[in-house]
Amino acid sequence: MSEASAAGGATGITSINEVEMRQRNSPKGEGGYDAAEAFRLRRRRFQTHRALPPPKTTLAAALMLVVGTTLLSLGLYAVFHGDKERGLSLCVLGALLFIPGSYAATVIWGAYNGWRGYAYHDIASYDDDVDNSI
């Protein structure tokens, strides 16, 4: 049986590990093993090209999420510790900031990580110079 058919069946395809083993065992002058090149090839195989999120929209989403969470927490603390009127107003204001902030942050995170169904153009953009029509 030939080497190609033994390594890759009828198609003669060999795995990357087999190619690396052949390079390691061959003398350096005859296409020997180059660790730096092997590392670059291996790294390139798993590299993804992520589109960066729109900066102003990301900042707005993060601020709404943090301020909304803070106001909700303070409002709940005030409601359960005596000042119900002020606590309820803080809860309403916190909810008005938390809900869109958490939605935008989730969409931005999903689009950045490449989750199916998530894209930057799904949220309102505050960036004038970024084209979100793609």
Side-chain angles (χ1 to χ4, degrees):
M1 189 187 304
S2 71
E3 182 181 333
S5 63
T11 60
I13 298 173
T14 59
S15 70
I16 292 174
N17 291 336
E18 291 174 11
V19 171
E20 287 179 358
M21 288 303 293
R22 271 193 234 131
Q23 287 177 347
R24 281 189 188 128
N25 294 333
S26 67
K28 186 67 175 168
E30 301 173 12
Y33 181 73
D34 183 12
E37 182 64 25
F39 176 75
R40 281 192 293 276
L41 289 173
R42 196 174 298 122
R43 186 171 182 202
R44 189 179 318 141
R45 187 172 31 168
F46 296 109
Q47 226 172 16
T48 58
H49 297 285
R50 295 180 176 176
L52 293 177
K56 292 178 186 175
T57 304
T58 304
L59 181 64
L63 282 175
M64 283 192 288
L65 183 64
V66 168
V67 172
T69 303
T70 303
L71 289 176
L72 269 173
S73 301
L74 290 174
L76 289 174
Y77 180 80
V79 165
F80 290 117
H81 286 56
D83 196 1
K84 292 187 191 295
E85 291 176 10
R86 182 172 295 169
L88 284 176
S89 64
L90 285 175
C91 284
V92 168
L93 185 58
L96 286 174
L97 288 172
F98 177 78
I99 292 170
S102 63
Y103 171 75
T106 303
V107 170
I108 289 171
W109 184 256
Y112 181 73
N113 286 324
W115 297 346
R116 183 175 296 170
Y118 289 85
Y120 295 128
H121 63 82
D122 291 338
I123 53 176
S125 178
Y126 302 109
D127 297 292
D128 297 334
D129 57 342
V130 177
D131 182 22
N132 288 334
S133 63
I134 298 174

